[in-house]
Amino acid sequence: MISELLEQFFRWKRPVNSRSEARNRLKLVIAQDRSGLSSEALEAMRKEILEVVARYVEIEPSESEFSLESDDRMTALIANLPIKRVRPQIEPDSPIPSEASDSEE
Amino acid sequence: MSRIIVITSGKGGVGKSTVTANLGTAIAQRGHQVALVDADFGLRNLDLLLGLENRVVYTAIEAIAGECRLEQALVKDKRQPGLVLLPAAQNRSKETVNPAQMRQLVSQLSQNYEYILIDCPAGIEMGFRNAIAPAQEAIVVTTPEVAAVRDADRAVGLLEANNIRIVNLVINRIKPEMVQMNDMMSVEDVLEILAVPLLGIIPDDERVIVASNRGEPLVLDEKLSLPAIAFNNIARRLEGDKVPFLDLMAAHNNLLNRIRRFFRS
Ligand SMILES: Nc1ncnc2c1ncn2[C@@H]1O[C@H](COP(=O)(O)OP(=O)(O)OP(=O)(O)O)[C@@H](O)[C@H]1O
Ligand SMILES: [Mg+2]
């Protein structure tokens, strides 16, 4: 109880840490600078990847995350796509369902 | 074989010219023949930082155009026998020079000088391309601020793309009191983001400005200040010495400084 109160108090008291804000913002913008991709290209790529993945598994587009991360001057595209369920026996070259969830029944 | 090193940054005003002047003087003090090339055509500054502005007769432009011999354009430092400056023109634009001419000029210098330090202008356009063209190595200067670090990363990328493989980092204007309050990125933060080997760290210090007012690089002082020690350490590391980095946080927290701060507040 008391420790919880204390914790809340300190969270409230602690000034916004501009050092870590600087670090986090820089990491994002530098990863994008290094990739040489425009934000339009990044968005187009995101859409296409989602389309391909949706042929095999059902995903929730609103919960999926794409980000660029840099480590040791190497940039990686990180995609986090929570799978709702696997689609039953779809052939790899069957047509792409138009909407991930509307296509059933 | 001489070493040809460009001092660059991307962002302006982070301390390239200050580093060039002090590092050049420190290397010359260590007994080497050093030529400093001001590649900031149109915005000449290095002569002022070195206190040599009254001795400039010809500039790199006249030497390139063949209007004078290269030796005539070199300004000898009055305090350091091994040090010369090749001044930039003050009133002609960056477009008057091209990378091939810069290469030619520096290759001529390299016959007589062991170290050639090129002070790059801000930005990543023509002036940058001219300054990096002759270089084999680069020192990227940044401050622990978001815009400076982002631009430094761009500069590093361009240096790599231009086959300059030896790239080292100098982080300038560190304020330990702000780092301690978590209001400035630390050396480690900047290193983690840029992932370039560290060559030196320099504290933010009013004496740097006083020295530039006087045209007397800090490393010439009889009793060396903290930033002067930082510049000297960079010179030693360039020569391959393993010199530990200054612990600026500890210097900030020593008893004397704590007492000083106590009385000031
Ligand atoms: N460590 C420091 N502490 C305090 N002031 C500094 C420090 N380093 C540089 N300065 C000041 O910052 C200003 C800019 O420095 P300098 O001219 O060396 O930067 P620069 O990168 O060469 O700029 P430009 O891009 O315009 O060529 C100067 O007024 C200088 O005195
Ligand atoms: Mg400058």
Side-chain angles (χ1 to χ4, degrees):
Chain A
M1 241 286 281
I2 289 181
S3 74
E4 247 176 54
L5 269 177
L6 274 179
E7 214 176 275
Q8 273 195 325
F9 176 73
F10 278 114
R11 197 166 303 150
W12 170 73
K13 268 276 291 201
R14 191 170 50 203
V16 189
N17 180 341
S18 77
R19 170 182 170 189
S20 57
E21 250 180 280
R23 208 169 36 201
N24 294 338
R25 290 174 61 220
L26 262 174
K27 278 186 187 162
L28 281 176
V29 28
I30 280 183
Q32 188 166 343
D33 286 354
R34 283 182 193 165
S35 76
L37 284 169
S38 66
S39 38
E40 295 86 58
L42 208 59
E43 182 56 27
M45 182 168 72
R46 196 180 76 93
K47 275 204 177 129
E48 284 177 40
I49 291 175
L50 277 177
E51 276 171 15
V52 170
V53 174
R55 274 156 52 175
Y56 299 89
V57 293
E58 208 176 293
I59 49 175
E60 183 58 70
S62 62
E63 279 171 23
S64 63
E65 279 178 13
F66 283 81
S67 63
L68 285 170
E69 280 177 24
S70 269
D71 194 20
D72 213 16
R73 305 209 67 78
M74 282 272 290
T75 304
L77 171 71
I78 315 280
N80 185 359
L81 312 173
I83 297 174
K84 282 203 333 206
R85 69 188 183 93
V86 176
R87 291 189 186 286
Q89 316 107 1
I90 288 187
E91 296 305 314
D93 45 10
S94 69
I96 300 167
S98 57
E99 229 3 288
S101 45
D102 291 349
S103 56
E104 307 162 356
E105 281 139 65
Chain B
M1 257 307 272
S2 43
R3 288 178 68 180
I4 303 166
I5 308 171
V6 63
I7 289 90
T8 183
S9 68
K11 191 174 184 319
V14 297
K16 295 177 292 295
S17 301
T18 305
V19 169
T20 308
N22 279 286
L23 190 55
T25 308
I27 299 172
Q29 276 179 327
R30 298 173 60 75
H32 296 287
Q33 300 292 312
V34 183
L36 305 183
V37 178
D38 190 345
D40 203 345
F41 296 103
L43 292 170
R44 157 169 113 207
N45 271 332
L46 208 49
D47 54 332
L48 266 180
L49 293 186
L50 291 161
L52 298 176
E53 68 275 16
N54 293 328
R55 305 222 210 156
V56 176
V57 182
Y58 297 110
T59 71
I61 299 286
E62 284 87 36
I64 287 170
E67 291 163 22
C68 71
R69 281 179 293 113
L70 180 55
E71 299 80 67
Q72 289 178 299
L74 297 176
V75 183
K76 290 193 178 54
D77 191 88
K78 45 193 177 199
R79 301 140 303 205
Q80 277 306 315
L83 185 68
V84 298
L85 167 71
L86 179 60
Q90 174 60 348
N91 42 26
R92 283 197 246 180
S93 82
K94 298 179 171 74
E95 278 69 42
T96 46
V97 182
N98 65 43
Q101 291 169 323
M102 286 297 286
R103 270 188 225 111
Q104 160 73 26
L105 196 70
V106 170
S107 109
Q108 242 177 296
L109 281 174
S110 66
Q111 290 163 14
N112 296 318
Y113 295 92
E114 300 169 78
Y115 282 85
I116 296 156
L117 305 188
I118 305 169
D119 183 17
C120 183
I124 50 174
E125 295 87 30
M126 196 58 195
F128 174 82
R129 288 205 295 276
N130 280 332
I132 70 168
Q136 309 150 336
E137 300 176 44
I139 296 175
V140 172
V141 182
T142 188
T143 60
E145 290 176 65
V146 283
V149 174
R150 182 191 195 172
D151 292 357
D153 190 71
R154 285 277 281 151
V156 171
L158 289 170
L159 290 166
E160 285 171 352
N162 283 278
N163 284 321
I164 298 179
R165 300 194 195 285
I166 306 174
V167 178
N168 287 294
L169 187 70
V170 167
I171 307 178
N172 187 22
R173 308 201 73 160
I174 296 162
K175 296 186 181 210
E177 67 277 16
M178 287 189 75
V179 177
Q180 196 160 50
M181 298 303 290
N182 278 326
D183 267 327
M184 180 178 271
M185 283 186 285
S186 66
V187 170
E188 294 75 23
D189 294 341
V190 176
L191 281 181
E192 187 201 353
I193 290 165
L194 290 179
V196 169
L198 184 64
L199 184 66
I201 52 181
I202 306 160
D204 190 87
D205 196 304
E206 291 171 2
R207 286 170 287 192
V208 174
I209 296 167
V210 174
S212 69
N213 289 342
R214 298 212 168 101
E216 297 267 342
L218 277 177
V219 292
L220 289 170
D221 291 354
E222 222 155 88
K223 189 171 175 303
L224 288 185
S225 55
L226 199 57
I229 295 171
F231 288 123
N232 265 332
N233 287 352
I234 295 174
R236 292 177 55 192
R237 288 187 202 108
L238 266 186
E239 289 189 58
D241 284 11
K242 295 256 178 296
V243 190
F245 292 100
L246 294 178
D247 190 346
L248 298 179
M249 302 310 284
H252 171 69
N253 282 324
N254 72 22
L255 189 61
L256 191 65
N257 279 338
R258 291 220 307 263
I259 294 171
R260 274 202 201 113
R261 279 203 297 280
F262 177 80
F263 281 110
R264 232 185 279 146
S265 58

